[in-house]
Amino acid sequence: MLYTPHFLTGAVILKYVPNPLVGLPLALLSHVVLDLTPHNDFGLRPGITLKEFWKMEIRRRNIIISALLFDYLLCAGVFVWLFSTYRNWWLLLGGIAGVFPDALEQFLMLFGIALPGWQDKLQWRVSAKYGFISYPLISLLSLFFLLR
C-alpha cells in the first residue's frame, strides 16, 4: 500500500488516542490492518532488488516511479500541512509509525538488500482495476477524521 493512506491513518490514531504509549503502537498496528485491505502493489514482490527494478520494461518502471513519486510528494505535503495546522509532533510521529514497516523495507533496498518478505503474507493484493480504489477511500476517510 502507498505511504499516504498509512501516514494519514497513523496520524488519525494519535489524534484520537493522544497517549503515545498506546497511540504509537496502534499506529504501527494500523499498517498491518491497512495492508489487509484490497490494494495493488504494482506487482512488486519480495525478493526484488533495485538492480532488478531498473531492468524492468521501461514503460512499467516509469508508471511505478511516477505513482510512487506522486505518493511521496503527497505524503510530504500532508506532513507539512499537519505540522502547520496542528503543530502536534505526536500526529506526525503517528504518521511515521504508520509508514515505518514499508519505509524500513525500502530503505534496506538502498543498501543492496532485496525487498524483504516480512509483510508479504499480510498483503491483500488485487488487480489494478480494483486495487487503486482503497487508496483514495482510506485517505479521504482519514482526512475526514483529522478535520473533525
Side-chain angles (χ1 to χ4, degrees), residues 54-94:
W54 288 111
K55 289 181 179 178
M56 276 185 188
E57 187 266 321
I58 194 164
R59 183 174 181 272
R60 179 172 178 234
R61 187 181 70 220
N62 286 344
I63 289 170
I64 294 169
I65 290 171
S66 298
L68 293 179
L69 183 60
F70 176 76
D71 180 53
Y72 297 154
L73 291 172
L74 186 60
C75 193
V78 168
F79 184 97
V80 170
W81 169 73
L82 277 177
F83 182 71
S84 64
T85 303
Y86 295 99
R87 301 252 185 239
N88 184 332
W89 287 102
W90 292 116
L91 292 181
L92 299 177
L93 286 174

Side-chain angles (χ1 to χ4, degrees), residues 1-6 8 34-35 37-42 71 74 123 130-142:
M1 180 167 277
L2 296 173
Y3 278 26
T4 304
H6 282 305
L8 284 166
L34 290 183
D35 278 351
T37 62
H39 64 281
N40 186 281
D41 281 339
F42 304 97
D71 180 53
L74 186 60
Q123 305 293 319
Y130 300 106
F132 294 109
I133 295 171
S134 60
Y135 298 130
L137 288 178
I138 292 167
S139 296
L140 289 172
L141 189 61
S142 294

